[in-house]
Amino acid sequence: MKKHIVKAIPLFFATFLISACGNTMTAEEQTTGRGAGNYYPVSIQVYTDEGKTVTQTIKQEPKKVVVIGEAMAELMIGFGLQEKVVGVGYLDQSLSKYAEQIAQMPVISKLWPSKEAVIALQPDLIYSLSSALKEDRVGDFSFWKERGIPVISAANFTVGRSIEEYFKDIKNFGIVFHVENQTEAYVKEQNERFDQIKKIASTAKTKPKVLFIAGAGRENYDYYPPSWCLIDEMIEGAGGEYMQLSKQGVEMSLESIIAANPEKIIVSEFQKTDREAIRNKLLSNQKLQNIQAIKTGNVMVADYTNAVRGSLQLADLYEDVAAFIHPELFGGK
């Protein structure tokens, strides 16, 4: 009998009942987690792109936010803060369910926006991928400090990508925007779904070898080591073996994919949204026809942002990965 995972409604979209502890809160404050008393200033520690820790202080409620990175834009929408966004840059154009809402935001640039374009928007906060925060990209921490604009970075490859680090980013987000009740509920709900997957997967009788690769509009693909993505934890948690071919991110030729001969392949494409086209590009490649995963049609397409950096649909992807790796347990095809 197949076991199915029931996807719960994300708790951060629900209304939270907050116990009165000292201060009396309005109905809006109880619902949103915002607006209570003298909350600001708040200080949090974030990473530079080199992995150094920097303390950033937000002196008052952010009202004009520049967002750099699609995963960051998703958080603003998911937690009901999109009205604060005055500009967004560096879009993965992923398979996110928020794609239409992100497209309606004021887009500065699909890649790195210029410093001048950001300054022109007069933001009181920049919320960005840490990789954007370089002098030759959007400007480093010192550049923005000189202009009195706090910068909150979401770690991407600075200290190694992991679900734990992604949840730290979520918790920092909650502190910065004073929506801790929502972010804590979200993390709790996601972890409960992860635990359910791991429990079912522990009964699996096999452990298929799974290769994760990402495309960028060329014939070859990119290999992501475990420290460069989140999907490795999903593959392992769902009862598969994440194929570790290198400790660094490397370009992977078709010949090296053939040599690896995975049983299953999960593929993603940067700035591509057509799942069938992405999948068929692999399945129809004549050079790859002897690979086990290709012969059996075991190719799955994953959202780039979610698989590599994490997004609000983390548990959704985890469940899809589980159904792909062990359909006999999770009701997949």
Side-chain angles (χ1 to χ4, degrees), residues 14 121 171 218 236 261 280 310:
L121 295 171
K171 291 177 180 180
R218 58 181 188 274
E236 293 283 340
N261 194 23
N280 289 335

Side-chain angles (χ1 to χ4, degrees), residues 210-235:
V210 185
L211 177 65
F212 173 65
I213 52 177
R218 58 181 188 274
E219 184 181 38
N220 292 343
Y221 289 83
D222 292 321
Y223 171 77
Y224 284 61
S227 62
W228 276 35
C229 61
L230 299 188
I231 201 168
D232 65 297
E233 294 179 59
M234 303 179 205
I235 290 169

Side-chain angles (χ1 to χ4, degrees), residues 103-118:
Q104 293 170 5
M105 287 180 162
V107 177
I108 313 170
S109 170
K110 291 182 179 179
L111 293 175
W112 309 121
S114 68
K115 303 183 190 75
E116 293 75 18
V118 174

Side-chain angles (χ1 to χ4, degrees), residues 67-128:
V67 176
I68 302 171
E70 188 145 319
M72 283 77 258
E74 284 193 6
L75 293 184
M76 299 299 290
I77 295 168
F79 291 104
L81 302 170
Q82 61 265 44
E83 76 282 355
K84 294 179 179 290
V85 178
V86 294
V88 60
Y90 199 74
L91 301 181
D92 295 343
Q93 296 178 348
S94 66
L95 302 165
S96 167
K97 72 177 185 179
Y98 296 112
E100 289 186 8
Q101 290 161 280
I102 292 172
Q104 293 170 5
M105 287 180 162
V107 177
I108 313 170
S109 170
K110 291 182 179 179
L111 293 175
W112 309 121
S114 68
K115 303 183 190 75
E116 293 75 18
V118 174
I119 292 171
L121 295 171
Q122 299 182 319
D124 51 29
L125 180 73
I126 297 171
Y127 183 45
S128 172

